[in-house]
Amino acid sequence: GRRGCFRKRGKPVQTTPASSFGQSLDDSTKLAPEGVPEMLEQLRKLLLYGQGFQREGIFRVSPATSALKASRTLAEADQVSNITDLESAAQLIKVWFRELPTSILLGCVPAVVDGELTTGAECAAALQQLPEVNRRTIYWLLELIADICKYETENRMTAQSMVIVFAPNLISPPEALDPMSALEVNKRVVQFMELLFTHYNETDGPATRIGASPSMVKAGRA
């Protein structure tokens, strides 16, 4: 019943360079050699080389508003390497997904929102209908989650906690949706990402380097 509400989001008022935020993924998108938007890969490397992966609560702890604003200004000026606040760098990755004019999941959104995908294999199969850059970007996110979880003893971030903090940025319920329905939508996005990550970890991902949390493994095999 909620399918029609999730096709598009309102476009941002401000326009920014094609390598930045709030832009559609298309032929004008500036890609890194990995085949994902350059902005995301630059922010990931900043976190990696700055030892942000080990920082407690990374991606969960919110940066100071002033630090985030300054970091975003640098990112939009193509100066990601000058960002010094690692919590802001992590937040900007979430912002990038949240401000896409349409969800990164595109045609998968109705099935996710309606809870039609109940196994990891079904979730992975659904991604095959997406454009290559969208699919690569989702798998980039799964690998980021896996990389963060390698440092769980230091950063206190499990795969499940990473999925929970990213889910609201992947599909945004319409403002007109009542709070209880919006909460249910978010729960279904979390379920989808948990199933997808568990499947990725067991088939394509670094299963020898990281194990999904017991609850997620259980969900993936349900």
Side-chain angles (χ1 to χ4, degrees), residues 185-212:
V185 166
N186 190 65
K187 286 171 59 178
R188 289 181 177 178
V189 180
V190 169
Q191 179 187 36
F192 170 80
M193 288 299 294
E194 286 184 344
L195 290 169
L196 184 62
F197 178 81
T198 301
H199 183 268
Y200 160 80
N201 193 51
E202 293 176 345
T203 57
D204 305 314
T208 58
R209 292 188 281 125
I210 170 178

Side-chain angles (χ1 to χ4, degrees), residues 45-87:
K45 287 179 178 175
L46 183 76
L47 286 171
L48 174 64
Y49 299 140
Q51 297 188 318
F53 287 10
Q54 294 96 312
R55 184 159 300 196
E56 185 170 347
I58 195 67
F59 287 100
R60 185 180 67 238
V61 174
S62 297
T65 302
S66 58
L68 179 61
K69 183 177 180 180
S71 298
R72 177 168 180 149
T73 298
L74 287 170
E76 291 182 335
D78 199 21
Q79 298 178 31
V80 169
S81 61
N82 291 331
I83 295 174
T84 57
D85 186 72
L86 297 180
E87 280 80 11

Side-chain angles (χ1 to χ4, degrees), residues 6-9 23-26 29 31 35-37 40 93-110 112 126-142 166-172 189 192-193 196:
F6 292 84
R7 294 295 184 185
K8 293 185 178 180
R9 308 178 187 188
Q23 301 294 309
S24 298
L25 285 177
D26 53 32
T29 303
L31 300 180
V36 300
L40 292 178
I93 292 177
K94 294 192 290 183
V95 168
W96 186 92
F97 282 97
R98 183 168 66 245
E99 293 191 359
L100 285 173
T102 55
S103 169
I104 190 73
L105 293 167
L106 291 178
C108 295
V109 169
V112 173
L127 295 186
Q128 298 308 307
Q129 67 179 285
L130 299 180
E132 184 177 1
V133 65
N134 293 64
R135 193 166 62 249
R136 282 181 181 269
T137 302
I138 293 167
Y139 278 102
W140 176 92
L141 177 58
L142 296 176
F166 265 97
N169 303 287
L170 301 179
I171 297 179
S172 298
V189 180
F192 170 80
M193 288 299 294
L196 184 62

